[in-house]
Amino acid sequence: MKYLRLLPILITMLCVSCADDEFVAPSFIHIDAIKLVPPESNPITLDEGFYTSDIVACYVAVHYPDARKMDTIGLFRMPFTVPVLHDGPIDYIEVYPAVPHSGNSILLPFYSFYKPITIRSGVLGTDSLRFVSGDTLCLDTLSTTYNISMSDIHMYELFEPTASSQYFEGVEWVKHDPVNACTGQGYARVHVSDTSDAVPFSINSDLYLFDATRAIYLELDTRSDVRFEVYMEAAYTSGGNTEKERVMVVNPTDHWQHMYINLGRTWSWFNHPQTFRISFAALNIDGIEGDVRIDNVKIISTNIVN
């Protein structure tokens, strides 16, 4: 009975709020996608393979005039249209690209290797940037690039026939097959027969990282008929024996996908050694014959920790 007695009060409160002259209808913001492009100056390379990506979501924040801090709107998968409870001018919008973490589409951290995108007045062809109640501010497709000033590229291999060096061993370097490559002309292939348990392959040089506070990621494009594993090889103590720890298992896919594989957790298991190696193994778990194909491999670190 007490709930029935509260009902008229709730209805009255609702009517009053609906009649409030200060009520502001929401504005909306829309983003289609974010693409990765070369920087305007001093690019490491202009090869399209270096800029493959899988930016599936973004964090959006707005800075209003005279505001003391950014107003975080939220994390959204693209494309999206979301309401903003503001009507009037804004100083700028900040968009932070987010990516699947180690193949997990649920974990979408801001990928600090990419530059945040700032939208200010004049960018959209208008003298002032503002939200208008009932209208949608369409940002369409935005562009970002690597935050090279904050990051180190420890190695990259695009498997192009013009390359002067090749960082992988245990793979077949297919140099002239643009139909099957992720980008450009070439890619690496590892074949697993139906009688093999596993076929190892690896990056053939040591990697060096001296600052334990840095985040480190392996990026690569892959299209694979079978599962393959990624490993880190290092010593747990200075002067100790080299051990191998599994970083993750990559499942088969019938299309090229871009992976962001976090190496930081495994590196911490080894107590952050200054040198380590990355290796792989193509697996015959299901008793089938198949190929692992990889392209556009990068290992990068940044002093911004996600």
Side-chain angles (χ1 to χ4, degrees):
M1 292 297 294
K2 65 179 180 179
Y3 298 108
L4 292 178
R5 287 196 296 268
L6 285 174
L7 186 59
I9 299 174
L10 294 174
I11 293 174
T12 302
M13 292 174 62
L14 180 61
C15 292
V16 170
S17 64
C18 290
D20 190 346
D21 292 336
E22 296 182 0
F23 173 75
V24 177
S27 310
F28 297 88
I29 184 171
H30 175 84
I31 297 178
D32 281 322
I34 298 176
K35 62 181 180 180
L36 185 66
V37 299
E40 294 181 355
S41 60
N42 302 318
I44 292 177
T45 177
L46 292 176
D47 193 299
E48 64 173 331
F50 193 85
Y51 302 97
T52 57
S53 64
D54 187 22
I55 305 172
V56 299
C58 61
Y59 293 84
V60 179
V62 179
H63 194 285
Y64 302 111
D66 301 323
R68 295 182 180 179
K69 62 180 181 179
M70 300 280 283
D71 180 18
T72 301
I73 306 301
L75 169 66
F76 309 99
R77 288 183 178 272
M78 298 176 289
F80 63 84
T81 302
V82 296
V84 181
L85 297 179
H86 182 76
D87 177 59
I90 55 179
D91 280 347
Y92 56 88
I93 300 169
E94 203 88 74
V95 179
Y96 300 86
V99 303
H101 177 92
S102 294
N104 190 333
S105 60
I106 297 176
L107 298 177
L108 297 171
F110 160 51
Y111 197 55
S112 55
F113 299 92
Y114 295 157
K115 286 186 175 182
I117 305 161
T118 303
I119 297 98
R120 298 184 181 274
S121 298
V123 173
L124 302 177
T126 59
D127 294 332
S128 62
L129 191 61
R130 62 185 301 117
F131 287 129
V132 179
S133 291
D135 287 352
T136 300
L137 181 63
C138 290
L139 300 182
D140 301 322
T141 298
L142 301 173
S143 298
T144 187
T145 192
Y146 278 104
N147 197 352
I148 296 300
S149 64
M150 306 296 289
S151 305
D152 289 327
I153 311 296
H154 296 273
M155 62 81 61
Y156 69 93
E157 176 59 78
L158 308 180
F159 298 104
E160 293 305 309
T162 56
S164 58
S165 63
Q166 212 266 344
Y167 286 95
F168 277 77
E169 59 186 20
V171 304
E172 176 191 2
W173 185 5
V174 183
K175 294 185 178 182
H176 300 284
D177 188 7
V179 173
N180 289 307
C182 178
T183 59
Q185 296 285 322
Y187 59 95
R189 180 170 59 201
V190 178
H191 182 73
V192 184
S193 70
D194 57 4
T195 58
S196 299
D197 292 329
V199 177
F201 58 105
S202 62
I203 296 173
N204 59 16
S205 59
D206 289 336
L207 298 160
Y208 298 88
L209 187 57
F210 303 102
D211 186 349
T213 67
R214 294 177 71 85
I216 182 165
Y217 272 76
L218 164 68
E219 285 191 49
L220 75 162
D221 293 296
T222 177
R223 178 165 65 92
S224 178
D225 304 320
V226 297
R227 297 172 189 167
F228 67 92
E229 293 183 330
V230 183
Y231 306 98
M232 180 177 286
E233 300 180 11
Y236 283 100
T237 58
S238 179
N241 294 327
T242 298
E243 306 287 347
K244 179 187 290 189
E245 290 283 1
R246 186 173 66 187
V247 178
M248 72 170 293
V249 177
V250 180
N251 289 320
T253 176
D254 60 1
H255 61 278
W256 284 102
Q257 64 174 349
H258 192 78
M259 303 286 298
Y260 302 87
I261 300 174
N262 186 353
L263 301 175
R265 183 175 65 171
T266 311
W267 189 41
S268 69
W269 291 347
F270 281 110
N271 300 309
H272 301 104
Q274 295 182 351
T275 62
F276 57 89
R277 286 201 174 200
I278 300 298
S279 61
F280 310 82
L283 306 177
N284 179 15
I285 295 176
D286 302 315
I288 62 172
E289 184 175 14
D291 291 326
V292 172
R293 302 170 186 84
I294 60 172
D295 203 353
N296 306 320
V297 181
K298 292 188 290 291
I299 294 180
I300 55 179
S301 67
T302 179
N303 58 3
I304 303 174
V305 179
N306 288 330

